[in-house]
Amino acid sequence: MPSLCLPQEKEICQYSFSRAQRVFPGGVNSPVRACKAVGITPPVVASAQGYTIVSADGREFVDFCCSWGSLIHGHAHPNTVSAVSAALGLGTSYGLTSCQEIRFAELLLSIPECSDCQVRFVSSGTEAAMTAVRLARGITRRQIIVKFVGGYHGHADVLMKDSFIEDIVEGRVDKSFLWGDFPLLSVHYNDVNGLRTCMELFKDQIAAIIVEPIAANMGLIAPTEEFVKEINTSCRKYGCLLVTDEVVTGYRLKAGGIAEILGWSPDIRVFGKIIGGGFPVAAIMARKELMEYLSPQGQVFQAGTLSGNPIAMVAGYVSVQACLEPSFYSNLSVASETLLEPIRSLILRRSLPVQLVSEGSMFGFFFLDSPVTNLEMASSCDINKFSLFYRNVFDLGIYLSPSPFEVNFISAAHDLPALEMASEKICRALLQTFDTNSMDIA
């Protein structure tokens, strides 16, 4: 019989990726973790603390993936560990509304931008986005959802099987897609004219536009000012809802989401990652009159056995409460500049064909000599150079998100000495990638 306990320290070295491949398809439970895009054997994690992960074979890495952005306070934060440990003795799942749920919801709704809202907790970003578009369709009695190419809103069919607006306009795809169960239209990111064409063509058939305030799944791409305005204008003009997917950006750059920074007033907001504090939590948030369309108040069905799990609620409360500390985001900005400014200076000084992109504590690299504004441009980057860079930096003990289309994250656990050391290693890896003297970083 296999042990029911956690693996002991002496057993940890026995766990390997080849062992994982025998029990999981591809060795993973989420595809990007297989690290195929960067050509490495992924580490099997044995433990993590602060900004460090330790593999089963004893290697230590400075972690800038941070569980894909979830761990803004770092691994095994003492306050989270303490709160969760205490909560375990009160029960791990109730199947009823709990004190923990109410307290956490009240904290989320204490932010001025959310004060007139209600929240529905679920267990994943995919589930939250799926529920958000179902709610939008129920409210508007319309069917079409508009999204943007390269935007990722989870792997539910309702948000993956789409048609491109230019294919419809130019007759390559018939409008019969409208008769499907989940009509979905895709417009290129930052394509103002494409969005106008789409909205004009389908007008009062569009239920909602769903968008990441900052695109974080085709690399890190910010919306242009004109694109931001057009999204707002389109929603008002055609009476459709604006759904902001803030699974990545929620609580990353400011308390709550960042939609207000862009001048948006979202009808429905989707949160995840950081609000779980390392546990599987996501949420749909909207004004009370819109949320009342959800069952049991309304006719839009949504349910989940582990929605609002009490342990996850406690972890989420601790995570969000820490984000609300007065100096939290300013301190995180200092940490980000400590890491990124030397890298940015090196790229400029050596004229390296690399775009270092950043928004607050998020950053990424495009191996291209010009700025990137959409997925097509991101896909034209030098993937081989990125993979070589990744392997170089990995060998130096830095763990970045293992794909050119994913984003890296700085956490509050990354102290300044660690960031300075990591910055120097990333600079060295860049110089190695371009066969430049890596001993002469200055």
Side-chain angles (χ1 to χ4, degrees):
M1 290 285 292
S3 171
L4 297 180
C5 302
L6 292 173
Q8 300 301 308
E9 186 173 351
K10 65 182 180 181
E11 298 174 353
I12 283 175
C13 63
Q14 301 174 13
Y15 289 87
S16 65
F17 191 64
S18 60
R19 190 169 173 179
Q21 288 173 308
R22 291 197 292 270
V23 292
F24 307 129
V28 296
N29 284 297
S30 188
V32 184
R33 300 176 192 177
C35 298
K36 286 191 172 184
V38 292
I40 66 165
T41 298
V44 174
V45 177
S47 65
Q49 181 74 47
Y51 60 78
T52 303
I53 56 175
V54 181
S55 68
D57 59 0
R59 288 196 65 188
E60 290 191 7
F61 296 88
V62 177
D63 181 22
F64 290 108
C65 180
C66 298
S67 189
W68 306 98
S70 301
L71 301 177
I72 197 169
H73 307 296
H75 295 277
H77 190 278
N79 291 351
T80 302
V81 171
S82 176
V84 167
S85 297
L88 286 169
L90 302 178
T92 59
S93 184
Y94 305 140
L96 289 164
T97 300
S98 69
C99 301
Q100 295 93 323
E101 283 174 276
I102 297 170
R103 183 178 74 143
F104 187 27
E106 288 175 342
L107 179 65
L108 293 177
L109 299 178
S110 68
I111 296 164
E113 296 91 343
C114 306
S115 60
D116 61 345
C117 294
Q118 289 187 328
V119 62
R120 173 66 61 89
F121 289 118
V122 293
S123 298
S124 72
T126 290
E127 191 181 354
M130 177 183 70
T131 302
V133 298
R134 179 184 294 171
L135 177 60
R137 285 173 168 148
I139 292 168
T140 62
R141 300 295 180 180
R142 302 174 180 180
Q143 286 299 302
I144 300 175
I145 301 295
V146 174
K147 66 181 283 287
F148 299 98
V149 180
Y152 178 68
H153 308 289
H155 64 272
D157 288 350
V158 65
L159 283 164
M160 292 199 76
K161 187 177 181 181
D162 52 346
S163 297
F164 297 99
I165 185 62
E166 63 264 33
D167 288 338
I168 293 169
V169 170
E170 295 172 16
R172 291 189 294 271
V173 174
D174 192 83
K175 283 188 181 181
S176 61
F177 87 94
L178 290 172
W179 303 327
D181 292 333
F182 308 126
L184 190 65
L185 273 173
S186 282
V187 176
H188 289 286
Y189 196 77
N190 279 323
D191 181 0
V192 172
N193 290 332
L195 180 57
R196 286 175 182 160
T197 298
C198 175
M199 301 303 291
E200 178 62 29
L201 187 60
F202 292 100
K203 294 181 180 176
D204 57 1
Q205 298 175 74
I206 296 173
I209 296 173
I210 185 168
V211 61
E212 295 176 275
I214 295 174
N217 285 278
M218 50 177 153
L220 185 63
I221 299 178
T224 65
E225 184 176 347
E226 188 181 9
F227 186 60
V228 167
K229 290 180 179 177
E230 188 60 34
I231 288 174
N232 243 353
T233 299
S234 293
C235 289
R236 290 196 305 270
K237 182 175 181 180
Y238 296 104
C240 65
L241 302 182
L242 175 58
V243 179
T244 54
D245 183 340
E246 303 186 60
V247 168
V248 174
T249 56
Y251 291 91
R252 173 52 62 177
L253 305 181
K254 71 180 290 285
I258 67 160
E260 293 80 9
I261 294 176
L262 303 176
W264 287 341
S265 297
D267 297 291
I268 303 172
R269 303 169 73 160
V270 176
F271 290 107
K273 294 189 185 293
I274 288 168
I275 71 162
F279 283 75
V281 178
I284 306 97
M285 186 184 294
R287 297 186 307 277
K288 185 174 184 291
E289 65 267 23
L290 300 182
M291 291 296 279
E292 287 180 343
Y293 280 82
L294 281 175
S295 59
Q297 196 86 348
Q299 298 301 309
V300 179
F301 185 74
Q302 180 277 329
T305 297
L306 295 179
S307 295
N309 174 269
I311 307 302
M313 296 292 96
V314 167
Y317 185 93
V318 172
S319 179
V320 170
Q321 189 178 50
C323 290
L324 298 180
E325 291 294 324
S327 61
F328 179 76
Y329 291 102
S330 59
N331 290 342
L332 205 54
S333 293
V334 171
S336 300
E337 281 308 297
T338 299
L339 177 75
L340 299 177
E341 183 52 37
I343 304 170
R344 194 177 292 116
S345 296
L346 175 73
I347 291 170
L348 182 63
R349 191 169 60 252
R350 296 297 186 90
S351 300
L352 300 179
V354 180
Q355 305 294 312
L356 170 60
V357 289
S358 64
E359 292 286 343
S361 57
M362 304 186 294
F363 70 98
F365 298 91
F366 290 116
F367 281 71
L368 192 71
D369 57 7
S370 58
V372 174
T373 59
N374 56 42
L375 180 62
E376 185 177 18
M377 294 184 69
S379 300
S380 71
C381 292
D382 191 333
I383 303 300
N384 292 330
K385 272 287 190 288
F386 175 86
S387 297
L388 177 58
F389 161 70
Y390 190 95
R391 293 192 294 274
N392 288 336
V393 82
F394 181 82
D395 288 343
L396 292 171
I398 305 296
Y399 187 75
L400 302 176
S401 297
S403 167
F405 301 109
E406 297 290 349
V407 175
N408 306 290
F409 303 92
I410 299 163
S411 77
H414 287 95
D415 60 29
L416 296 186
L419 291 166
E420 290 169 353
M421 176 270 292
S423 185
E424 187 274 333
K425 289 186 175 182
I426 292 171
C427 287
R428 193 190 314 170
L430 279 169
L431 293 176
Q432 289 173 342
T433 299
F434 290 99
D435 295 322
T436 304
N437 187 355
S438 61
M439 300 304 293
D440 183 21
I441 292 176

